[in-house]
Amino acid sequence: MKTTEIKVLEEIELNNPIFIEALPGLGHVGKLAADHMIDELGATKFAEIHSPTFPPQVIVKEEGIIENMFNELYYLKDVGEDNHDLIVLVGNTQPLSPEGQYLVCKEILEFVMNYNISSIYTLGGMVTSPQPVENPNVFGAATCEEYIELLKEADIEIRSNDGGIVGASGLFLGLGVRNGINGSCLMGETPGYFIDAEAAEALLNKLTLLLNFEINTDKLDERAEETREMFAKAQQMEQDLLNKANAGNADDLRYIG
């Protein structure tokens, strides 16, 4: 395999769909939000994407079954009160190298442009603190003033003079502008080092406002509780290690004295 392969599973017709990117990133915030949307709204997979730029590995799942590294495209029709059609990009990886990022994003964008996409929304996480946030904010950036105004109307905090957007979430917007397609990036506030369901829920709530549809987030609430418990256990383990280290140092000092 020398180039990116996009395997079409179903031939579809869509009405100026909105393209949503949600590949793995900080806290898996965007991916978790999009996966939940796919499950709750009953999206249909219509394409699989494989690339030699993906990590050279497979994932070992339950009972020793392996899973390839891949991206997937799903579609939804007539979503919400505005009857949007959607194309959603998810997967278990992003390309390893900067060159791979550019190549894969370019090829995927060219593919979905065949469906006359009207706009792009990219979903991800943004680290503001190493500690979990009780009520995560959602930050946004966009390709033009019109989309900035839409973000403001949804009470999304606008990033300004605040670094870059790395990976697919940034590249799809940049490449989109070069092809005359505007869009926005939504970033849920997260520590970034565990699967952050609370940030994913906050992100999803803002996306539903922007696209005018409703979704049940009960399962994300359950996942958020699991996340809190996981972090509490991690904190306790860290504290236990510190206590043991301090006790060991004290013993050493007594021995030396």
Side-chain angles (χ1 to χ4, degrees):
M1 181 168 52
K2 294 183 179 180
T3 61
T4 300
E5 295 179 359
I6 302 179
K7 181 180 179 182
V8 177
L9 306 176
E10 178 185 344
E11 297 293 342
I12 60 174
E13 292 185 5
L14 300 172
N15 181 27
N16 300 120
I18 295 168
F19 176 52
I20 298 173
E21 175 275 327
L23 294 175
L26 293 169
H28 289 286
V29 176
K31 173 177 167 52
L32 184 56
D35 284 346
H36 181 77
M37 183 171 66
I38 286 168
D39 290 342
E40 286 293 317
L41 300 182
T44 302
K45 182 167 73 171
F46 73 99
E48 293 180 350
I49 301 161
H50 299 271
S51 173
T53 68
F54 292 164
Q57 65 185 47
V58 294
I59 297 173
V60 180
K61 302 180 70 178
E62 292 183 9
E63 299 182 359
I65 303 299
I66 67 101
E67 177 179 270
N68 275 309
M69 311 309 291
F70 62 88
N71 292 171
E72 301 172 306
L73 289 166
Y74 287 78
Y75 75 91
L76 286 156
K77 289 188 174 183
D78 300 323
V79 174
E81 295 185 13
D82 296 332
N83 300 116
H84 289 302
D85 288 355
L86 308 178
I87 294 176
V88 186
L89 173 66
V90 292
N92 60 14
T93 191
Q94 292 198 39
L96 285 175
S97 68
E99 295 84 358
Q101 287 276 5
Y102 271 97
L103 288 171
V104 172
C105 290
K106 178 177 180 291
E107 289 168 341
I108 293 175
L109 183 61
E110 288 175 349
F111 176 78
V112 297
M113 283 175 60
N114 291 324
Y115 298 93
N116 296 316
I117 59 172
S118 59
S119 59
I120 299 172
Y121 283 88
T122 65
L123 311 180
M126 178 176 170
V127 176
T128 59
S129 166
Q131 300 299 322
V133 180
E134 187 171 344
N135 295 300
N137 288 323
V138 176
F139 298 86
T143 60
C144 63
E145 186 61 34
E146 177 187 353
Y147 278 71
I148 290 292
E149 291 304 315
L150 292 174
L151 297 180
K152 289 179 178 178
E153 289 174 11
D155 291 326
I156 293 170
E157 188 170 337
I158 305 301
R159 287 184 62 178
S160 182
N161 257 347
D162 188 22
I165 302 171
V166 178
S169 290
L171 277 179
F172 274 114
L173 291 183
L175 293 171
V177 168
R178 292 176 60 183
N179 287 276
I181 304 168
N182 285 307
S184 303
C185 179
L186 309 184
M187 295 155 276
E189 186 178 20
T190 178
Y193 55 86
F194 60 87
I195 297 175
D196 196 336
E198 289 187 320
E201 182 175 359
L203 184 67
L204 193 53
N205 287 338
K206 294 301 184 183
L207 185 65
T208 60
L209 279 177
L210 289 166
L211 301 186
N212 200 17
F213 70 94
E214 295 182 356
I215 191 168
N216 188 308
T217 59
D218 287 348
K219 291 180 181 178
L220 274 177
D221 291 338
E222 294 171 9
R223 186 62 178 271
E225 181 59 34
E226 293 172 6
T227 301
R228 282 191 291 269
E229 292 175 2
M230 178 182 70
F231 183 74
K233 290 177 182 177
Q235 279 188 316
Q236 185 59 55
M237 291 172 64
E238 182 180 345
Q239 188 60 52
D240 290 345
L241 288 172
L242 287 172
N243 291 341
K244 288 179 180 178
N246 291 335
N249 289 338
D251 290 341
D252 290 343
L253 287 171
R254 285 194 296 272
Y255 175 78
I256 293 170

